Each structure stands twice: as C-alpha cells, then as structure tokens.
C-alpha cells in the first residue's frame, strides 16, 4: 500500500521542484565547462548555484514548526534521499513571543530527527518599518538569504500554500494594487531564483493532514489567529465570509486569478522593457511626447522602472506615486516636482521627464 494521498501529494510537489533544481544545476555546470569559466557561487546571479564538489546541491527548507513547513520539511527529507540532493533546514526565531528561543530549539530537534543536515536556528531583530508583518517578513528573508549564502545552498523551499496565495491576492486587491500585486507569490522568486514554493497548488488542509498521518508534531503560531494582524483577520473572517456569500471554490478561483495576472504582468513588463529605449532621446532622457503615446499600462511600468533606477526603493514605491508622475505626462498643467521615496524627484523640463535624486 502506498502513502496516504496527502503525503503522496506533498512529496510529488517537492519532487518536481527538486528535479527542476537538479536540471538547472546540471545545465549551469555544463555551460560553464563548455565556456571554461569559473562556476559562480550561490547568489552570484545564476538561476541556481552549481553543485558542490561531491555533485550534490544543497536545498534548504525554511521551517517555522507550523503544519505547512513541517510537511514541506518531511517531504524534502524523503525525496532528497532518493535524488542527488543534500537537504537542510533553517528556522528563524523572530523573538516576538516569550519562549521563542525554546520553540526554535524544539523545531531544530524535530528537523534533525528527520535527518536533515545542516539544520540551524537563526535569531533576528524585527524592526518597525512597514508595520509588524512587513518588518518580520523582511527580517526573515534577510536571515534566509544569509543562511543560503553561508551554507552554499542552491535553493530555499517555502511552505506557502494555495490558501496563502488567495490571501495575498485579496490583500493586493484591498490595497488597490496593480496586476503585478494581484499575481501573488511566484513559484520561483528572488534575484537568483533562490526561493521555491512547491505547495502553491496544494491547500493548507493537505499539508496539515500529511503531518497528522505521519505523526509529525506541529506548532500553531498564535499570531496566525490574532485579529491585530490583517492577514489573520482575512484568514479567519474575510475568506470564510466570501465563501459563505459566493460558495465554495473562492480560494481556487483567487489562486487561478494570481496565475492569470502573473502571465499578463510578465507580458506587460517585457513590453515596457522593450519600449523604454524607444522613448529616450540621444542623451538618455525620457521624452514626454513618446511616453504619452504608449498604452497607460506600459507607460506606468516605464515610469516605475525609471524611478527605481534613480534610487526610489521598490518596496516603498506605490501606485499613487506612479500616478502622480504619470500626470506630468498626461495632465501637464505646469505643476512642480513630484517627491518620491528615497529622496527621488520627478519633474518635467522642456518636454523631457527628469527623474533623479534631489
């Protein structure tokens, strides 16, 4: 008799990702051999770092001790033993609750028992920028990036599920964000393709069931049920209300919307990248008349790219900022410079749009 359907589902999802990682490492190693170039280290700009000397790339799992990440860790431990992959884990102690260090130590013990290696707990200090949820996320990813670099990992697996994806889409919708925000979380993300999300097509209940049938202890973070957090309210109040009003299938529909939005956003981003050089003059300045001729969705992407290049932090650049810059093109009434995050200014001068740090 085979494994329980929930266990089989999580293992299959992880197996597919590991095959992708192995294939990418092999292609990179072959390419570097053909061109007689040194193989770059993890994080040096490749989609995945090449395998180490023993031929087995290291894949880490980010594990909080919750059902999603524990299910992911168990699947990685099982599948890695069947493939040419080393499997390790990192748990991040945010220090936001009493006894969090003891909880992290317990998680490490459970991960070691799964025969993952290396396994470590990393303590972080959570700041205040962007609110508690955003600050914790920033601290967590910084710690995961550092751990991946330290151990030479080619990928870090994250336990986000289809339910998490649906919540992300709704949060983007509530903020009035554009297509890119509505596309939710990508299966592969990070500047070097470091982060992989095998469970985006699986629901949260499948991960929890997989832990239950394998007798894997899990920890339910009280913050996930705290109404002080926006995502918690959405999870326990918003989505159930939507399903009650619209019927079952809302989560699946939102996840499908994320994929469709991602396809559209990718196409528009590519269009904007091609259009950017065509709307600049010989000196590299943006020409307002040529910008005006672009479709609004493409023009706003060109403006956003220009603002980021000028020094505006991408995470602090919101739709309202881009709309204000856009009015310099479409609603010119002699208005002054637009102040953007990162001490960047945008202003119209002699038919040119100048975006630079003040």
């Amino acid at each position: 008799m085979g494994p329980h359907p929930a266990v089989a589902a999580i293992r299959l999802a992880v197996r597919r990702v590991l095959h992708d990682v192995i294939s990418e490492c092999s292609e990179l190693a072959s390419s570097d051999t053909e061109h007689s170039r040194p193989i770059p280290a993890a994080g040096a700009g490749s989609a995945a770092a090449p395998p180490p000397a023993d031929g087995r790339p290291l894949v880490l799992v980010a594990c909080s001790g919750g059902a999603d990440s524990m299910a992911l860790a168990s699947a990685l431990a099982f599948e890695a033993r069947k493939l040419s992959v080393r499997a390790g884990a990192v748990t991040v102690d945010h220090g936001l609750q009493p006894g969090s260090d003891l909880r992290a130590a317990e998680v490490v013990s459970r991960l070691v028992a799964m025969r993952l290696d290396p396994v470590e707990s990393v303590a972080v200090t959570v700041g205040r920028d962007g609110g508690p949820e955003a600050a914790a996320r920033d601290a967590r990813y910084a710690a995961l990036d550092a751990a991946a670099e330290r151990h030479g990992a080619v990928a870090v697996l994250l336990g986000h599920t289809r339910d998490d994806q649906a919540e992300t889409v709704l949060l983007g919708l509530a903020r009035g964000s554009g297509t890119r925000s509505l596309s939710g979380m990508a299966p592969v993300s990070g500047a070097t393709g470091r982060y992989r999300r095998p469970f985006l097509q699986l629901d949260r209940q499948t991960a929890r069931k997989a832990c239950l049938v394998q007798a894997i202890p899990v920890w339910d973070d009280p913050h996930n049920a705290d109404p002080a957090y926006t995502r918690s309210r959405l999870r326990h109040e918003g989505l159930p209300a939507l399903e009650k009003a619209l019927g079952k299938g809302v989560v699946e529909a939102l996840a499908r919307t994320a994929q469709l939005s991602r396809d559209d956003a990718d196409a528009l981003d590519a269009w904007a990248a091609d259009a950017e050089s065509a709307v600049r003059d010989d000196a590299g300045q943006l020409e307002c008349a040529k910008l005006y001729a672009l479709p609004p969705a493409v023009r706003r992407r060109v403006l956003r790219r220009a603002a980021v290049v000028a020094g505006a932090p991408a995470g602090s650049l919101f739709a309202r900022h881009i709309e204000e810059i856009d009015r310099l093109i479409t609603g010119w009434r002699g208005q002054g410079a637009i102040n953007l995050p990162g001490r960047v200014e945008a202003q119209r001068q002699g038919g040119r749009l100048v975006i630079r740090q003040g």
Side-chain angles (χ1 to χ4, degrees):
M1 179 182 294
H4 186 279
V7 176
I10 65 170
R11 288 177 179 176
L12 176 60
V14 170
R15 189 183 316 143
R16 287 170 173 166
V17 168
L18 292 183
H19 278 303
D20 289 342
V21 171
I22 292 170
S23 177
E24 290 166 14
C25 288
S26 297
E27 289 176 6
L28 181 62
S30 297
S31 175
D32 286 330
T33 300
E34 291 172 4
H35 293 87
S36 300
R37 290 187 287 108
I39 295 176
S46 59
D54 68 358
R56 296 186 303 147
L58 172 64
V59 176
L60 299 176
V61 57
C63 187
S64 66
D68 301 341
S69 59
M70 289 301 290
L72 182 58
S74 71
L76 174 62
F78 181 85
E79 294 296 332
R81 289 194 289 270
K82 300 163 58 178
L83 300 170
S84 299
V85 174
R86 292 185 300 133
V90 178
T91 186
V92 178
D93 175 14
H94 297 84
L96 298 177
Q97 302 171 33
S100 63
D101 55 337
L102 299 177
R103 173 63 59 186
E106 289 180 13
V107 173
V108 166
S109 297
R110 292 170 185 170
L111 295 170
V112 169
M114 291 180 181
R115 292 193 290 169
L116 294 171
D117 181 39
V119 175
E120 70 170 322
S121 171
V122 180
V124 299
T125 300
V126 177
R128 297 182 178 181
D129 291 346
E133 293 170 279
R137 182 175 61 250
D138 290 345
R140 180 166 58 255
Y141 277 100
L144 293 174
D145 279 334
E149 296 288 347
R150 189 163 55 251
H151 294 291
V154 300
V156 178
L157 306 189
L158 304 176
H160 297 121
T161 64
R162 186 170 62 192
D163 301 80
D164 296 308
Q165 184 76 297
E167 293 162 8
T168 300
V169 172
L170 282 177
L171 288 170
L173 185 63
R175 289 192 295 264
S177 302
T179 307
R180 177 56 67 189
S181 182
L182 296 182
S183 65
M185 295 175 287
V188 180
S189 66
T192 61
R194 169 175 288 157
Y195 294 104
R196 312 290 172 120
R197 297 178 174 86
F199 289 176
L200 284 183
Q201 300 301 318
L202 300 177
D203 61 24
R204 191 173 288 139
Q205 192 58 37
T206 296
R208 184 168 289 276
K209 185 67 174 178
C211 289
L212 178 64
V213 299
Q214 296 178 100
I216 297 173
V218 299
W219 173 63
D220 291 315
D221 187 343
H223 282 174
N224 290 336
D226 188 342
Y229 295 94
T230 304
R231 187 178 285 270
S232 175
R233 294 195 302 273
L234 180 60
R235 179 174 301 177
H236 297 288
E237 301 172 23
L239 270 172
L242 281 176
E243 290 203 330
K244 183 177 180 180
L246 302 176
K248 295 294 183 181
V250 169
V251 168
E252 292 86 345
L254 287 168
R256 190 162 55 250
T257 295
Q259 183 57 59
L260 294 172
S261 297
R262 181 168 299 282
D263 292 342
D264 291 348
D266 287 346
L268 288 168
D269 284 348
W271 188 351
D274 290 340
E276 185 170 1
S277 60
V279 297
R280 293 184 181 274
D281 60 18
D282 293 339
Q285 297 293 324
L286 292 167
E287 297 187 60
C288 295
K290 291 181 178 179
L291 284 167
Y292 185 87
L294 291 175
V298 177
R299 181 176 61 246
R300 288 170 185 152
R301 280 169 165 77
V302 172
L303 298 179
R304 178 181 176 81
R305 287 165 59 93
V308 171
V309 169
S316 302
L317 203 57
F318 301 131
R320 60 182 175 82
H321 296 126
I322 306 305
E323 289 170 0
E324 290 178 8
I325 305 174
D326 197 45
R327 279 194 286 271
L328 296 175
I329 308 299
T330 62
W332 176 240
R333 298 290 184 273
Q335 56 265 47
I338 305 298
N339 293 319
L340 303 171
R343 298 184 295 107
V344 173
E345 292 182 346
Q347 58 183 325
R348 182 164 173 155
Q349 296 179 342
R352 300 293 188 271
L353 182 68
V354 180
I355 303 178
R356 62 190 175 197
Q357 283 192 320

